[in-house]
Amino acid sequence: QMKFRMPWDTTPKPHDRPWYSFDFGPVHFLMMSTEHPLNGTQGAFIEEDLAAVDRGTTPWVIAVGHRPMYIDSGYNPDDRSHDSDYGFASYYQSSLEAVFLKHGVDAVLGAHHHTYQRSCKLKAGACDAEGFHVINLGMGGASNSKLSKSPAPIWDFLDGTHHGYVRMTASRERLAMEYIRGSEPDKVTDKLELTREAAMMLAMQWV
């Protein structure tokens, strides 16, 4: 079986597991494998990694995994088996939502479902100012997945028919993610913007 090696720190020992983290400018990225158990070894890594983030250096924290933590899906909405869209999202939430809230994760990025989805700040399945945003970035395969006919009110923007990408810019004071459709390359179709003031107020609770 062939796979790409993962980035690792050579001390104290090589790390070649499919979960890791890195800092890029003022953003700390936590890269997770949703194809492996989210508890156990990976769960311990996630907890330790987030606990070690220096919010003075990287005021923004973004968690990234292939499958979505929250999702709007038109596929078998009553199916709660582990491999279903809603079933896996429920497992993801029960495994890591409390950890993300504890450490002040700003946004959780996912994909898998071939749509663009952006939520309000979420906590326990509802909009809450103390929560985090979920953004699902599967629009590279637009039209290959179905959105539901009656989306939950947690979703601020949904698009299941357009290809596109998200452009991220960040400074110590501001984090912005802009959704650009391939058919409208000069237009920002959707935008999430967070400011440092809000982040600093929350960060004070985690010091």
Side-chain angles (χ1 to χ4, degrees), residues 28-173:
H28 180 79
F29 289 93
L30 169 64
M31 311 301 291
M32 304 170 293
S33 172
T34 57
E35 311 312 307
H36 293 77
L38 297 174
N39 47 24
T41 303
Q42 182 174 200
F45 169 82
I46 291 169
E47 175 74 51
E48 293 170 7
D49 180 81
L50 292 175
V53 173
D54 179 357
R55 301 300 283 247
T57 302
T58 52
W60 309 108
V61 178
I62 295 178
V64 185
H66 172 68
R67 298 192 65 165
M69 187 173 213
Y70 283 86
I71 190 169
D72 178 87
S73 176
Y75 292 110
N76 302 319
D78 296 325
D79 183 358
R80 291 299 190 270
S81 62
H82 181 78
D83 289 333
S84 70
D85 289 339
Y86 289 105
F88 185 86
S90 179
Y91 161 70
Y92 196 166
Q93 293 159 30
S94 64
S95 297
L96 292 177
E97 181 163 324
V99 176
F100 291 170
L101 292 168
K102 174 183 175 182
H103 295 291
V105 169
D106 295 294
V108 181
L109 307 185
H112 186 69
H113 197 271
H114 292 167
T115 56
Y116 172 81
Q117 308 185 12
R118 179 176 63 80
S119 77
C120 58
K121 282 189 172 183
L122 288 171
K123 181 179 179 181
C127 295
D128 191 305
E130 296 182 354
F132 49 80
H133 292 277
V134 169
I135 305 178
N136 298 328
L137 308 170
M139 57 281 195
S143 300
N144 287 321
S145 295
K146 301 176 182 178
L147 292 170
S148 69
K149 295 180 179 180
S150 301
I154 64 171
W155 297 109
D156 287 339
F157 197 94
L158 296 168
D159 183 353
T161 58
H162 295 87
H163 296 90
Y165 66 95
V166 162
R167 177 172 62 202
M168 182 184 298
T169 56
S171 68
R172 294 178 60 83
E173 295 79 24

